[in-house]
Amino acid sequence: MALVASFAQWVEGARPRTLPNAVSPVIAGTGAAAWLDAAVWWKALLALVVALALIVGVNYANDYSDGIRGTDDVRSGPLRLVGSKLASPRAVLTAAILSLAVGAVAGLVLAAVSAPWLIAVGAVCIAGAWLYTGGKKPYGYLGLGEVAVFVFFGLVAVLGTQYTQALRIDWVGVVLAVVMGSLSSAVLVANNLRDIPTDADSGKITLAVRLGDKRTRVLYQLLLVVALVLTVVLAAATPWCLVGLVAAPLAVRAAGPVRSGLGGAALIPVLRDTGLTMLVWSVAVSVALSF
């Protein structure tokens, strides 16, 4: 039987709920550049293309790698193309490679007009995208996924965006990067909290599997607290950064199912609400830093 996923299923397979993890750091990095009076809109757009292409590539690569390993055979989370047998592994792999290639081309252009040494950083990012669940010893199966997300979607994404525009970074950019890294990691923590039973059975030893259900829930909430506390720290740059606390109600809503002990599909909205928290926070603080 031919495997033909619909366009809507391909879109769902790209995991659109994770897109704030790509968009928000670019917004934050551009806000950090604006703080230095050095925002460049077309470089911000290039950085956005890189971030979106990489996260879609990561999601398809994970779909492919987890699918061929059988990790997604039993799943309570969003649709996976290979695991659900809606698309062939080759088709999903091709989608991953094309997405990563788009990110690579945009990244090469951005590095060429900013700092050529950033090409090496981009190469590391692409390798990290593939090796998360790909290769013989994927680091996502060793409990290192959250560390990688913090580095790539926090430090690298925010500071890289700031640097390509301002050609330097500062402490404001670093704080923004830590906030974005914490919230991005919180998305993955919530995802892996939901999948503890199936991941443990399939041999995918995520950080959540290592910590267990209770401590993973504590970690998720701590990451949100870090983001809110650092919002207050940013007031040292300009008190207007406190407008970032407008995202606090979203963070509280996101933490609700985690704090209440819910599991399985009941945790799916946590990913959406954590992503919305990131997006609202990044927009609010970036606007504050632009004045």
Side-chain angles (χ1 to χ4, degrees), residues 17 22-24 39 47 62 77 85 113 122 167-168 191 203 215 230 235 255 265:
R17 288 187 182 89
V23 176
S24 301
N62 292 349
K85 295 180 171 48
V113 297
L167 297 182
R168 65 189 180 97
N191 182 78
R215 286 187 291 180
L230 289 180

Side-chain angles (χ1 to χ4, degrees), residues 7 11 13 39 61 76 81 93 102 111-112 121 124 147 165 174 189 192 195 199 208 220 241 253 271 287:
F7 176 76
V11 171
S76 59
L81 295 164
L93 177 60
V102 169
V121 176
V124 172
V147 174
Q165 296 177 54
V174 172
V189 168
N192 290 340
D195 293 340
D199 283 346
Y220 173 83
C241 282
R253 186 174 76 177
L271 278 67
V287 170

Side-chain angles (χ1 to χ4, degrees), residues 3 27 56 58 72 91 94 117 120 149 155 161 202 206 212 226 228 235 250-251 257 267 284:
L3 304 178
I27 294 173
V56 170
V58 166
D72 290 337
T94 299
W117 61 265
V149 165
L155 303 183
T161 300
S202 64
T206 63
V226 166
L228 296 177
L250 285 170
L267 289 173

Side-chain angles (χ1 to χ4, degrees), residues 121-176:
V121 176
V124 172
C125 290
I126 291 175
W130 175 253
L131 295 174
Y132 174 52
T133 55
K136 293 183 179 180
K137 292 185 178 180
Y139 62 84
Y141 282 53
L142 301 174
L144 298 174
E146 285 78 3
V147 174
V149 165
F150 183 88
V151 171
F152 292 125
F153 289 99
L155 303 183
V156 173
V158 175
L159 296 178
T161 300
Q162 183 186 29
Y163 187 85
T164 55
Q165 296 177 54
L167 297 182
R168 65 189 180 97
I169 62 174
D170 70 339
W171 74 269
V172 171
V174 172
V175 173
L176 290 169

Side-chain angles (χ1 to χ4, degrees), residues 5 55 60 74 80 125 127 134 153 166 202 214 218 220 265 279 290:
I55 200 165
Y60 281 138
V74 178
R80 287 294 186 97
C125 290
F153 289 99
S202 64
K214 183 177 180 179
V218 172
Y220 173 83
L279 193 57
S290 299

Side-chain angles (χ1 to χ4, degrees), residues 5 10 13 16 23 42 61 77 86 88 96 102 113 121 127 132 173 234 265 281 289:
W10 275 104
V23 176
W42 61 269
L86 292 168
S88 68
V102 169
V113 297
V121 176
Y132 174 52
L234 282 170
W281 188 93
L289 291 169

